[in-house]
Amino acid sequence: MNSNTTARKHVRRTALIAGLVAAVALPLGLTASAQATTGGTATGAAVQRTVSGTASDNVTRVADFYGAYIDAKSDPDHGGRLATELRKYYVQAGGLRELTAWENRNHADGVLRAQNVPGKWTVKDAGAAGHTKVNVTLTWGGGQTTKLVVGLDRNHKIIRIDGN
């Protein structure tokens, strides 16, 4: 494993831990903000990326969920339990029932709409009134994409995932 891969895994784990801390703190009425910064080089100059968001924003909530969920599903040792807990926290009970029904029909993960894990994801506001829908694009190894529409309730819980 090269140092870039090790650094990326460390950043993902740090962000996942920060997200889980926020998941515990927010229901208790505590406020939290998270920021992840990664370093790298491009033509000799340091490049920094910053990720930030707010818990009351649907795009941030969906991005947090998909980032943590994909990381959990990528961990063969501990990912299954964490992925289940993330689903319980971010997805409303009715949405969980729909996911289970979809998975039983399609024999694949209902959140990812696939049997494997994407390498990249993008989350954007769908421009819906009240910002209750968010677009998610999952990008797979060969550059293929899966486009999803995630519906949320007024409490920022996922109620529906539509797509492939």
Side-chain angles (χ1 to χ4, degrees):
M1 192 176 324
N2 66 35
S3 63
N4 284 340
T5 301
T6 302
R8 282 193 302 269
K9 283 188 175 190
H10 173 73
V11 169
R12 282 197 317 250
R13 283 191 186 107
T14 301
L16 179 60
I17 291 167
L20 289 175
V21 168
V24 171
L26 291 173
L28 297 175
L30 305 173
T31 57
S33 64
Q35 180 174 333
T37 304
T38 60
T41 59
T43 64
V47 176
Q48 289 189 326
R49 293 177 38 211
T50 301
V51 178
S52 61
T54 62
S56 62
D57 176 68
N58 285 335
V59 174
T60 300
R61 294 280 295 187
V62 172
D64 288 347
F65 171 64
Y66 270 88
Y69 190 83
I70 289 167
D71 279 349
K73 294 295 280 186
S74 297
D75 183 345
D77 297 326
H78 308 290
R81 181 170 174 238
L82 179 56
T84 298
E85 291 303 315
L86 288 165
R87 286 167 73 133
K88 286 179 189 176
Y89 181 76
Y90 283 95
V91 183
Q92 179 210 57
L96 286 173
R97 286 190 295 276
E98 281 190 26
L99 283 176
T100 300
W102 188 94
E103 290 169 340
N104 290 337
R105 285 190 312 274
N106 294 282
H107 308 289
D109 185 291
V111 172
L112 303 175
R113 296 299 203 251
Q115 294 178 337
N116 54 357
V117 180
K120 182 178 166 184
W121 64 98
T122 305
V123 179
K124 292 182 186 177
D125 188 339
H131 305 286
T132 57
K133 290 187 180 177
V134 175
N135 292 326
V136 176
T137 302
L138 305 174
T139 305
W140 309 92
Q144 302 91 343
T145 60
T146 299
K147 297 197 183 285
L148 306 172
V149 177
V150 177
L152 297 106
D153 66 13
R154 63 182 176 86
N155 295 315
H156 313 291
K157 289 274 199 176
I158 295 170
I159 56 173
R160 186 176 186 93
I161 299 174
D162 292 315
N164 299 4

